[in-house]
Amino acid sequence: MINEQVKSPIASKNIEAMYPLSPMQQGMMFHSLYAPDSDVYVEQITLKLKGDVNVCAFKSAWQKVVDRYSILRTSFVWENRPTPLQIVFKEVDLPWTNLDWQSLSSAKQEQQLSELLQTQREEGFQFKVAPLMGCTLIHLSEDTYQFVWTHHHILMDGWCMSIIFKEVLSFYEAELHGEACHLPTPTPYRNFITWLTDQDQAASMEFWRENLQGFNAPTPLVVDRALPPSQQLESKYQGLELRLSKDVSRKLQALAQQQHVTLSTLVQASWGLLLSRYSGESDVLFGVSVSGRPASLSGVENMVGLFINTLPLRLQIKPEQQFIPWLEQIQQLMLELQQYSYTPLVEIQSQSEVPGGMPLFESGVGFLNYPIDSSLADKSSSFELSDIEIREQANYPLVVNAFPGDELVVKISYDATRFAEETIERMLGHLQTIFSAIADNPQQAVSELPLLTPTKRQQLLFDWNDTQTDYPEDKCIHQLFEEQVARTPDATAVVFEEQQLTYQQLNQKANQLAHYLQTLGVEPEVLVGICVERSPEMVIAILGVLKAGGAYVPLDPNYPQERLAFIVEDSQIPILITQEKIAENLPTSWIQTLLLEELWPTLLYSYPQHNPDHKVTANHLAYVIYTSGSTGKPKGVAIEHRSLCNLAYAQRRLFDVGSTSRVLQFASISFDASVSEIFMAVTSGATLVLGSAIELMPGDNLKRIINRAAVTHVTLPPSVLSVLPKDGFPLLEQIIVAGEPCPIELTHQWSINHRFLNAYGPTESTV
């Protein structure tokens, strides 16, 4: 452990003061104790020193700063106490480590440094042992050192870093020149603790209650890959950054000055807009970091301690509102929030309607304008400082931090178990587009601020949607099947249990049925009901109706009688093809009913096997499917042959279906996915695999038929896919989901080793 180098004095004579923790300190302590293996609040600053470094003087300078500030000599106790206390010691020794890596190569030094930083983060700190910080100075070459300063966030916030570095350099230079360094006596952190006790807590609670009224769920990030509780992984944070051009950065700074708002407000507005676009919500909420340094507290600017707080910023995004007035509203809202910035986030959340156990927000925005780089650069020193990096990590899945300068830098720190790197890259690209649009023309409505560059917009809306292609607009779907029969007559068209039909056999049986149906008056626009169990005869019946010139109306035999009766009566079908055991449940008294048991093998054997003549055209109906009726009564959706031919051609190209493909027929005949499955196969030379109700039961049964029948293409509802075993499908190539919205986690689970497509859409667009 870092603190094992020193034994903090515990004798009462070495205790300078004891007082409560600030609310933010309490929160950090609670989280660290609750998740002892987490390094979320362990902060590290690394930099390089180049020149003639006096190691003893540099170490002494750091010790003198520790001696000056009470918070750096503080430990924290909580056991057997109603409330935690921080104990300030009069004297503590700063843990210091000197390492010599001069004999190592540059690559090895980088590796060693990475391992050292990781080790220090994992070791963390013991709250009872002061100080909760340590320094490591590494000799890299004759005149180059790597410096690592590690501390727990409970001690201080980012603004304190520049104060400490300035004083370290002042003490260092004074000691080198044998001079005394006289600095003003610092204001102790306990003054802030005292100030907190004087604040009006009741007024704060009332403010936050009103501010959060009506907000009852965290704004969804949408693009994350949230895992179910059983698969939650330990958070692993990574970071990506965006560097805006000097021109855009200058324009944004000028806009902020002209409108009397802060650059931070511009960043908050941009993130709020992006969050609204991603979530589809006009009322969004995210965390914002505030300095928490009250102007009414004397000497607060130069105090060292933890003042920062995270507050919920709730924004209403009205598309018609002009950007500048909206920006001014956000600025005013931030001023109101900061009046109550002393309130702990846990107490703020208690005033909201968000259920306990849920976070108030899952993303945060910070504006880090503490000038460490500039403060060090301005100081005349005997050595050069460079490569300053700050590693800090908030306890949220995603944090956006902005760093002002000639080039505004936006860095996103994200939990890699929740977000893919390409998702964050795309998010930064959208932010860049928003910033550029604001810089170029702030006088526009909020809705006019784009997420996409003109080039990307052209690509998404036009180039990628330029999907027009030639397809046989003058043909019927059964003609495409007949062409396939001519190409591959002996290929297997349908398999079911121990049965199988070649393309030629399937065509001949369908032709016999078609000739017979024509004798019954089936012609274009005549509807024929089909209510049969899944079987080769079901496919024959569909093709037979189409070849006769009619349109089929599918009826699932498992539907309730009332629903079947409604469809029969509403469609006014004159003919129904069914089975004897099903017919008794159907209102068939006024319908000509054809039983499969009577059609084969006796009735149809004498009818021709060649393709029948017909008058049907591409403009005539192919089928009528009834919707689920979720919005009222079921309605029949009528689809023409032209649309179905278009679908068949599109599927052949998009789903890569060919003669070696084996397509599972899973969907109910009354569900439009069955249309997709059947014609995807029989118009492309593939094999259509049928299964019994037991074989198609979700879970292990379904897995067995997929593997036994060597299925390459499946179309499944997400609810069925979610209970299918997730591995052991060596031949499965394409997974198509339809019928229900698809959760993002299913995409992540099943897109590995498979081509995964979401075909969810309205049946009015064919399928």
Side-chain angles (χ1 to χ4, degrees), residues 558-594:
N558 295 311
Y559 276 177
Q561 288 188 21
E562 296 79 6
R563 181 176 176 83
L564 292 173
F566 172 84
I567 296 175
V568 168
E569 177 152 352
D570 187 70
S571 63
Q572 291 293 296
I573 53 175
I575 299 174
L576 174 65
I577 300 174
T578 186
Q579 294 165 283
E580 188 173 358
K581 63 181 178 180
I582 298 173
E584 60 188 28
N585 296 321
L586 296 172
T588 58
S589 58
W590 50 272
I591 300 174
Q592 185 170 2
T593 303
L594 308 181

Side-chain angles (χ1 to χ4, degrees), residues 61 278 309 321 336 340 408 419 466 556 585 760:
Y278 273 37
N309 197 4
Q321 188 169 18
E336 294 174 6
Y340 303 98
L408 180 67
F419 299 91
D466 185 13
D556 189 329
N585 296 321
Y760 183 55

Side-chain angles (χ1 to χ4, degrees), residues 39-46 117-118 121 149 151 161 237 389-394 411:
D39 62 351
V40 67
Y41 291 121
V42 177
E43 310 225 324
Q44 291 175 312
I45 296 89
T46 61
L117 295 175
Q118 181 65 31
R121 289 196 298 269
W149 173 28
H151 67 273
M161 296 177 189
Y237 284 85
E389 294 185 9
I390 303 172
R391 190 263 185 197
E392 53 185 355
Q393 184 175 301
K411 180 177 180 180

Side-chain angles (χ1 to χ4, degrees), residues 68-69 159 163 167 184 186-187 293 299-305 307:
R68 274 175 56 77
Y69 290 101
W159 188 263
I163 298 173
E167 295 197 1
T187 305
R293 293 177 181 256
V300 73
E301 299 87 355
N302 296 312
M303 290 174 67
V304 172
F307 298 88

